[in-house]
Amino acid sequence: VAQDGEIIVLEVKSNAKVDDVRYFADKVELVRLQNTDKRVSGVIITLGAADDVRATCQKHGLQLIP
């Protein structure tokens, strides 16, 4: 989603794992590097995120919507 100088990168997973979050964080960083003139944020939507998934999202600055 791109709007008003901001890009929101979304990923929807039925059951996100820590490795999924790390891989997604890499994708968000790539979008950041390709769009230095815009604010880029990442959002993961998943069902019932475990504590380790929540912690990994927080570590990488990703918004989690469980």
Side-chain angles (χ1 to χ4, degrees), residues 24-42:
F24 179 64
D26 288 343
K27 288 192 247 182
V28 172
E29 184 59 26
L30 178 62
V31 174
R32 264 191 201 109
L33 293 171
Q34 293 173 334
N35 296 277
T36 57
D37 60 328
K38 300 197 177 7
R39 189 176 49 192
V40 176
S41 57

Side-chain angles (χ1 to χ4, degrees), residues 21 25 28 32 40-43 55-64:
V21 175
V28 172
R32 264 191 201 109
V40 176
S41 57
V43 177
T56 305
C57 285
Q58 185 174 7
K59 175 184 173 184
H60 291 284
L62 302 172
Q63 181 181 357
L64 174 65

Side-chain angles (χ1 to χ4, degrees), residues 5-17:
E6 179 179 19
I7 297 174
I8 301 171
V9 184
L10 297 169
E11 181 148 317
V12 178
K13 302 289 276 185
S14 61
N15 187 19
K17 306 283 189 226

Side-chain angles (χ1 to χ4, degrees), residues 40-58:
V40 176
S41 57
V43 177
I44 295 181
I45 301 169
T46 188
L47 297 174
D51 289 341
D52 57 347
V53 169
R54 292 174 187 271
T56 305
C57 285
Q58 185 174 7

